[in-house]
Amino acid sequence: MKIAVFDTHSYDRDALTLANQQFGHELHFFEARLTAQTAGLASGFEVVCPFVNDKLNAETLAQLYQVGVRLIALRAAGYNAIDVPEARRLGMRVVRVPAYSPHAVAEHAFALLLSLVRKTHRAYNRVRDGNFALDGLVGFDLYGKTVGVIGTGRIGQAAIGIARGFGCRVLADDLYPDTALAQAMGFEYVPREVLLAQSDVVSLHLPLTPDSRHLINQDSLHGMKHGAILINTSRGALVDTMALIQALKSGRLGGVGLDVYELEEGVFFQNLSDKPLQDDQLARLLTFPNVLITSHQGFLTREALGNIAQTTLDNVSAYESGKKLENEVS
Ligand SMILES: NC(=O)c1ccc[n+]([C@@H]2O[C@H](COP(=O)([O-])OP(=O)(O)OC[C@H]3O[C@@H](n4cnc5c(N)ncnc54)[C@H](O)[C@@H]3O)[C@@H](O)[C@H]2O)c1
């Protein structure tokens, strides 16, 4: 099938082109993000392939429908940027890649955590500047500490496995606790307030939904242990950024690792290095020495990119041959 791939970067093109040798679809790559303004580029395509921050709201969907698009093959897991009920109302189907490498994201969460705990992001710059002093670089052992994991799905479970490997006690919270899993992996489900109050590290691994928006807010931040570290590799809007900045200013939090950010759309995935940063909240976050931000790269491993490409093209082939769409968003 002819597929219009939006928001394409070199790593998407490489992975999709390689995987497509086995499928034989006709791939057209557009660098533009998919919006109401760019939806016209999909004219003549029955399938569009957007990425995680492409905003498929009612306006964009109407434009896509008008130019003949009938399948949205999202090459990501989280579909919070797509108005799925509206797509269904128009008669368009939405497929996604529910799992591609939970380890990629969980390992990235720990990359952020370990850097913050041992201050390697600061040590790296110091040593390169010829400063070999250690003052201000005192960290702490992860061994024996308590890690709180919110969301015990695929990525949460991978994160729990890593935390257990470090010798951490793990507390967890999920809408649907799996006690057999907890027993097998050696962790404990507790009410969220208890998790926040007892954890030295809190890591978020749940989807963004109307219920989970600003789950970490002024109240929950006050309920966290003094000096705790917060890691968010899930979705930016799980955290109220203004409240986070206040908690950092007051010194309550020991560190924050973010791979996602509430207002990342239009900033993350772009090279804006020759322009003044327009987002004052992001600029403020970047001033804290104990904040480490990456630009939504949790998924960016060779394994994950290969799996994303494979499942995306497989989803399109299933649609083309009228098979059941296993990865349809309902
Ligand atoms: N940084 C990245 O590159 C990247 C890549 C992939 C996924 N993600 C994010 O990670 C999230 C988790 O992915 P996953 O594959 O583990 O998903 P999953 O569906 O396997 O697990 C999510 C878990 O969260 C739980 N949950 C849902 N709402 C909750 C709530 N309000 N409170 C407590 N628990 C709740 C669910 O019951 C489920 O167990 C995705 O939704 C996505 O936003 C980020």
Side-chain angles (χ1 to χ4, degrees):
M1 294 194 83
K2 272 179 77 179
I3 308 173
V5 184
F6 281 83
D7 204 358
T8 312
H9 295 268
S10 56
Y11 43 84
D12 301 304
R13 191 180 295 114
D14 292 350
L16 282 163
T17 304
L18 184 66
N20 197 38
Q21 288 175 1
Q22 168 194 343
F23 292 93
H25 293 297
E26 192 180 322
L27 304 176
H28 291 250
F29 295 106
F30 298 102
E31 284 180 18
R33 288 181 41 229
L34 182 49
T35 63
Q37 286 68 43
T38 61
L41 291 169
S43 184
F45 293 86
E46 196 174 333
V47 185
V48 289
C49 178
F51 192 47
V52 68
N53 283 334
D54 289 331
K55 227 186 180 67
L56 276 72
N57 55 18
E59 193 190 355
T60 313
L61 291 169
Q63 305 267 8
L64 290 173
Y65 186 79
Q66 206 178 8
V67 299
V69 172
R70 295 295 179 268
L71 179 71
I72 296 161
L74 177 67
R75 57 179 195 284
Y79 50 89
N80 50 287
I82 302 180
D83 186 343
V84 178
E86 179 62 11
R88 286 173 79 88
R89 194 190 67 75
L90 288 167
M92 287 193 279
R93 304 183 74 178
V94 182
V95 285
R96 64 172 182 140
V97 184
Y100 40 85
S101 172
H103 306 289
V105 185
E107 288 171 15
H108 191 68
F110 274 78
L112 292 173
L113 176 60
L114 284 169
S115 296
L116 287 164
V117 166
R118 300 307 299 269
K119 305 183 201 287
T120 41
H121 56 304
R122 304 187 68 191
Y124 173 80
N125 285 324
R126 262 193 208 188
V127 168
R128 286 175 72 89
D129 197 33
N131 177 356
F132 299 93
L134 298 180
D135 309 75
L137 295 184
V138 178
F140 62 83
D141 290 7
L142 273 181
Y143 180 83
K145 295 294 185 299
T146 301
V147 173
V149 172
I150 307 186
T152 57
R154 286 169 278 242
I155 298 172
Q157 286 173 39
I160 290 170
I162 299 171
R164 294 292 294 140
F166 273 102
C168 298
R169 169 186 178 227
V170 176
L171 301 179
D173 167 46
D174 195 287
L175 276 183
Y176 307 102
D178 182 342
T179 41
L181 177 80
Q183 203 166 18
M185 292 191 74
F187 69 91
E188 190 188 344
Y189 283 104
V190 293
R192 188 171 299 159
E193 315 79 71
V194 175
L195 179 151
L196 293 174
Q198 294 192 9
S199 297
D200 301 287
V201 175
V202 173
S203 195
L204 307 180
H205 298 291
L206 71 164
L208 176 64
T209 62
D211 284 346
S212 64
R213 187 171 182 276
H214 286 185
L215 172 113
I216 300 295
N217 52 34
Q218 194 181 4
D219 288 344
S220 41
L221 286 162
H222 270 108
M224 284 172 70
K225 203 168 175 176
H226 191 90
I229 291 185
L230 175 70
I231 304 290
N232 186 8
T233 55
S234 279
R235 282 295 178 269
L238 292 172
V239 178
D240 177 347
T241 309
M242 283 311 287
L244 184 68
I245 289 171
Q246 289 309 319
L248 283 158
K249 277 170 80 174
S250 71
R252 276 198 67 78
L253 286 173
V256 174
L258 302 177
D259 186 47
V260 286
Y261 164 63
E262 206 172 358
L263 304 173
E264 69 179 51
E265 191 200 329
V267 179
F268 282 15
F269 307 119
Q270 321 291 322
N271 180 359
L272 304 177
S273 57
D274 58 351
K275 299 183 179 70
L277 184 56
Q278 297 299 318
D279 182 329
D280 292 346
Q281 289 185 24
L282 181 57
R284 184 66 178 101
L285 280 174
L286 290 169
T287 65
F288 295 103
N290 56 346
V291 171
L292 187 51
I293 301 179
T294 51
S295 177
H296 205 141
Q297 67 174 76
F299 70 98
L300 202 65
T301 66
R302 281 194 298 275
E303 293 79 1
L305 287 169
N307 292 339
I308 289 170
Q310 179 80 23
T311 305
T312 300
L313 298 175
D314 206 28
N315 286 339
V316 175
S317 292
Y319 171 82
E320 185 177 25
S321 55
K323 285 191 193 148
K324 184 172 186 282
L325 298 183
E326 300 290 347
N327 296 321
E328 184 159 21
V329 180
S330 53

